[in-house]
Amino acid sequence: MDNKGYDYNLFVFIIILLYTGEVLPRARATRFYNLGAALPVSNAILYLSKLLSLAGVALIMATIPMLVGVIIQTIKGFTQYGLAVYAVDLYLLTLPGFLQIILLSFAIHIVVNSKFAAHGVALLIWVSLFLLRNFAEMDYNLLFYFFTPDYEWSDMNGLGHFVAPLFWFNFYWLAFGLLLASAAYLFFQRGVSGGWKERWRVARSRFKGLPFAAVLASGICWLGSGAYIYYNVSYLNNYYSTSEQRQ
């Protein structure tokens, strides 16, 4: 499982980005938006159905490495597959990262409200993160969406001491992703989209009840977990950047 890294995550990011661009403006592309807007289906159900369909894509993408790995192990005559290791790594560590990508991409496409422009914005964010981490040597995971601490599997104790930081960073970024998706719901529109003044007016009128509770709860979880991570990483322990470690 240690061989599954940045390249596969980049591939999944591109797949999710393209599928998000197809799922959200689908009604507009098929000229179904006027009829769809008249159906007695709530905005929340329509919004969640699109989001859950993308989560299903993420689940499939997280399962592919296990299927490929089992096939390769079988071909090479190794039958001790270690399915528990596959399950933990793919569904508890990798899948949350894919869901975080979905939440960010979903929010960008709704706010930008243009498929190709949203593709450009999402790619710009991804490229910026890559350049900052690899060339500017900024590797403070608390500031880089989707990134978590590196980890290694051990034959003696599995993930060992990596469990706690991986859990908290995934929780931190999932909470932020849910905050983005909850805020983006305020701008979600059916039928013919209006200008920014109309979208802002609709967003303010929706900011109550469950949407308000979702934004508040996800915001509290994000800020609370971020404060806990910062306390452990930078206060209880000494954090050193890449350049500081070389010195």
Side-chain angles (χ1 to χ4, degrees):
M1 300 306 297
D2 293 336
N3 294 325
K4 173 180 57 61
Y6 179 82
D7 293 339
Y8 187 71
N9 288 333
L10 178 60
F11 169 73
V12 172
F13 169 76
I14 294 173
I15 293 296
I16 289 175
L17 184 62
L18 294 176
Y19 269 77
T20 306
E22 295 299 324
V23 167
L24 281 173
R26 186 67 178 172
R28 195 180 311 148
T30 57
R31 301 185 182 279
F32 183 75
Y33 53 88
N34 287 327
L35 180 60
L39 294 176
V41 180
S42 67
N43 289 328
I45 292 178
L46 187 61
Y47 185 84
L48 290 176
S49 66
K50 294 177 180 291
L51 195 57
L52 290 176
S53 66
L54 291 172
V57 174
L59 181 63
I60 294 173
M61 301 304 295
T63 305
I64 288 177
M66 179 172 63
L67 298 178
V68 174
V70 169
I71 292 173
I72 293 176
Q73 286 178 296
T74 303
I75 293 174
K76 293 186 175 182
F78 187 81
T79 56
Q80 296 180 4
Y81 299 115
L83 296 179
V85 175
Y86 278 115
V88 172
D89 193 288
L90 293 174
Y91 298 128
L92 297 183
L93 300 181
T94 303
L95 182 59
F98 294 168
L99 295 177
Q100 293 157 22
I101 295 175
I102 288 174
L103 294 170
L104 175 63
S105 179
F106 206 78
I108 291 174
H109 274 83
I110 289 178
V111 174
V112 175
N113 200 31
S114 172
K115 180 169 71 173
F116 296 108
H119 287 346
V121 172
L123 286 173
L124 179 62
I125 292 175
W126 185 275
V127 171
S128 299
L129 293 177
F130 175 80
L131 293 177
L132 288 173
R133 289 187 70 90
N134 290 274
F135 295 97
E137 296 185 341
M138 299 174 61
D139 56 358
Y140 197 61
N141 291 321
L142 203 61
L143 302 178
F144 286 85
Y145 187 80
F146 160 80
F147 284 88
T148 59
D150 295 329
Y151 65 93
E152 292 183 358
W153 281 93
S154 170
D155 292 334
M156 296 182 63
N157 64 343
L159 289 172
H161 64 282
F162 293 108
V163 173
L166 289 171
F167 167 80
W168 280 107
F169 270 94
N170 273 319
F171 181 82
Y172 170 74
W173 287 125
L174 277 175
F176 183 68
L178 289 172
L179 175 62
L180 293 178
S182 300
Y185 170 76
L186 303 176
F187 296 91
F188 177 68
Q189 284 191 325
R190 302 161 63 176
V192 180
S193 300
W196 266 106
K197 288 185 177 180
E198 180 182 349
R199 297 184 70 194
W200 182 251
R201 178 183 58 79
V202 173
R204 286 189 298 175
S205 66
R206 285 183 183 170
F207 194 52
K208 57 185 177 182
L210 288 178
F212 174 79
V215 171
L216 181 62
S218 55
I220 291 175
C221 290
W222 174 55
L223 292 175
S225 58
Y228 178 78
I229 293 172
Y230 177 82
Y231 175 75
N232 281 271
V233 172
S234 299
Y235 186 78
L236 295 182
N237 299 280
N238 295 321
Y239 168 77
Y240 295 101
S241 64
T242 303
S243 58
E244 290 174 336
Q245 292 176 13
R246 284 201 301 267
Q247 297 173 1

